[in-house]
Amino acid sequence: MNKTIITVVGKDTVGIIAKVCTYLADNNVNILDISQTIVQEYFNMMMIVDMSRMKKPFEVASTELGELGEKMGVQIKCQREEIFDKMHRI
C-alpha cells in the first residue's frame, strides 16, 4: 500500500470536498480515512489515501492537487506517510 496524507486548509466554500474527491476518484486513488472540520469560516480537512493504483507519479499528483487548491482558494498539500510520520515523531 502506498499511503499518503493530504491536507486541505483555507476559507470554507461550497464544493471543496467534492472537487478533491473527484480528482482522487478520477486518478484511481482510494480514500482510507477522512476528517474535516470548519472553525468559524475556515475549512480544514485531512485524508489518508492509498495511491498504489494511481498511474501518475506522486510528484505530478501533488502538483495537480496544489493547482486545484489554488483554483479553489485553499492550500492542498500531499505527503507520503513515512515522511509525515518522521516529521511528527516526538
Side-chain angles (χ1 to χ4, degrees):
M1 192 175 302
N2 185 3
K3 288 186 185 175
T4 299
I5 311 301
I6 298 174
T7 56
V8 182
V9 179
K11 282 271 212 177
D12 188 32
T13 185
V14 174
I16 296 172
I17 297 172
K19 289 174 184 169
V20 173
C21 289
T22 297
Y23 175 88
L24 296 175
D26 288 347
N27 286 281
N28 214 18
V29 176
N30 186 35
I31 298 169
L32 303 172
D33 199 358
I34 182 171
S35 172
Q36 65 93 29
T37 57
I38 299 170
V39 178
Q40 294 184 17
E41 70 263 17
Y42 294 97
F43 178 87
N44 186 14
M45 178 169 67
M46 182 174 167
M47 307 171 93
I48 300 173
V49 301
D50 177 10
M51 292 185 154
S52 59
R53 289 185 271 154
M54 184 175 64
K55 304 275 190 266
K56 297 176 182 178
F58 173 84
E59 293 75 16
V60 171
S62 181
T63 298
E64 289 177 351
L65 281 165
E67 291 168 354
L68 176 63
E70 284 179 28
K71 290 177 188 172
M72 293 187 292
V74 298
Q75 287 186 339
I76 301 178
K77 303 287 183 192
C78 298
Q79 242 179 355
R80 289 194 166 100
E81 181 185 41
E82 60 272 11
I83 294 171
F84 184 88
D85 287 344
K86 287 179 180 166
M87 286 181 58
H88 293 91
R89 190 179 299 163
I90 295 177

